[in-house]
Amino acid sequence: MARGKPLERTAPVVRKSALANDVTALAQIVRVFEQLAKAMPTRVSIRQAYAFLHIAERTAGGHDIIVSDLKALGDDAWGAPLFDASIGRSYQLFMDEPSRDYPEPLGWLRLEADPADKRRKLLRITAKGEAMAKKLVKIRDESFHSS
């Protein structure tokens, strides 16, 4: 077999992406998601994380929240409700009491009877839930300030 001359090495081709103007914003989002993935247990879905953070945000603002309030958060991009019949699985993972589906819950939320209407159950953040929410806020702050 005859030997030819060696191939010339060239620099890799860099194509300008349509997202080039958004690289900083995307990098911030990636850092937040990376840290969320590291901070949250593997069994927490993005919708469950959203439910927990929504509950934390509402209660931090002094608002009561009940389970059915999660249903009012609307639909996803395909028209399906963010929280429908599976709403129980969206928050039960975070409860302080074991359930059939979650015998080892995270203990971030608890149900409390509404003093004005004992039939109505309010979602409340536990000390463990507050600690996780504060951790996530710190991650967000670090992510946006490191850009």
Side-chain angles (χ1 to χ4, degrees):
M1 217 188 235
R3 291 182 145 217
K5 68 181 195 181
L7 292 174
E8 291 181 36
R9 299 216 180 255
T10 59
V13 176
V14 178
R15 291 178 179 83
K16 180 144 174 130
S17 167
L19 297 171
N21 293 334
D22 300 315
V23 72
T24 300
L26 288 168
Q28 290 172 338
I29 294 167
V30 165
R31 279 195 293 281
V32 169
F33 270 81
E34 174 189 17
Q35 294 306 312
L36 283 172
K38 289 177 180 178
M40 296 285 224
T42 56
R43 57 189 173 155
V44 177
S45 74
I46 194 164
R47 288 183 187 210
Q48 287 172 315
Y50 173 51
F52 171 72
L53 290 168
H54 180 75
I55 294 164
E57 182 260 337
R58 296 291 298 158
T59 57
H63 302 281
D64 287 338
I65 187 163
I66 59 174
V67 174
S68 62
D69 290 339
L70 297 175
K71 290 180 183 178
L73 294 178
D75 298 340
D76 63 20
W78 295 269
L82 286 173
F83 303 104
D84 55 7
S86 66
I87 195 167
R89 288 188 301 269
S90 296
Y91 76 92
Q92 285 179 354
L93 168 65
F94 302 113
M95 299 309 292
D96 61 347
E97 295 289 328
S99 68
R100 183 177 43 105
D101 291 333
Y102 296 103
E104 296 179 28
L106 297 172
W108 299 352
L109 299 174
R110 73 177 182 281
L111 284 175
E112 191 176 280
D114 184 340
D117 181 353
K118 299 290 183 202
R119 296 169 296 171
R120 196 174 136 178
K121 301 295 181 197
L122 305 172
L123 286 163
R124 298 289 192 214
I125 302 280
T126 64
K128 284 174 79 173
E130 287 175 355
M132 176 51 76
K134 286 180 183 282
K135 181 178 181 178
L136 296 174
V137 169
K138 183 179 178 193
I139 288 167
R140 178 229 165 244
D141 289 347
E142 289 170 355
S143 294
F144 285 101
H145 289 88
S146 66
S147 301

